[in-house]
Amino acid sequence: MMDATLRLHSLPFSSVRTYLTAALFVIGNIALPQLLHFVPQGGVTWLPIYFFTLVGAYKYGWRVGLLTALASPVVNSLMFGMPPVAALPAIMLKSVLLALIAGWTASCFNKASLLMLVAVVLGYQVLGTLGEWVMKADFYASCQDFRIGIPGMLLQIIGGWIMINFVIRRN
């Protein structure tokens, strides 16, 4: 397993590069869900709206992750009606948690191992599920990602690790 130190960034809000980078990840978070929505229950199974938030926050810092986390669900909902407006608060909570946890983990450890990505994904999912439970007052509905979204979590962990370590490694 590759566990070498990476060149990770923490782009500031004052940099144009922050917004351009976030915009690219938002585009990814628009395209991937559209592709996976062709698969029955593709959104709830593969959790595609979180993928590029994870990669962006881990590689380019929590600010890029936060911008991606906030814009992606809203733009998708406005453009395609998915996620539905009623689902936005829970999705945005999980997206923001993902951006903050991924950005913090990357800045503390300066590497991206599978184990670290497991911790990031489980961290945002557990905290997000608790927050969603408070919002919805329905524990069963709040646990949907753990009941249906395991393939999506695995995609985030393995696909995220590949993207961070191999695809965008040089930047």
Side-chain angles (χ1 to χ4, degrees), residues 12-111:
F13 281 129
S14 61
S15 171
V16 172
R17 185 172 179 216
T18 302
Y19 297 94
L20 293 175
T21 303
L24 290 174
F25 287 116
V26 169
I27 291 168
N29 270 351
I30 292 169
L32 186 59
Q34 290 309 305
L35 290 173
L36 289 173
H37 280 277
F38 287 117
V39 177
Q41 289 207 331
V44 295
T45 303
W46 293 101
L47 309 172
I49 197 78
Y50 304 114
F51 184 77
F52 288 102
T53 301
L54 168 68
V55 174
Y58 213 98
K59 178 69 177 175
Y60 296 100
W62 68 270
R63 292 170 193 89
V64 168
L66 185 62
L67 291 169
T68 306
L70 293 172
S72 297
V74 172
V75 171
N76 269 302
S77 185
L78 289 172
M79 289 178 69
F80 304 105
M82 293 300 289
V85 173
L88 282 178
I91 289 171
M92 290 182 75
L93 171 66
K94 287 182 179 180
S95 292
V96 167
L97 287 169
L98 173 57
L100 297 176
I101 293 169
W104 178 82
T105 302
S107 70
C108 285
F109 299 101
N110 204 36
K111 61 183 175 179

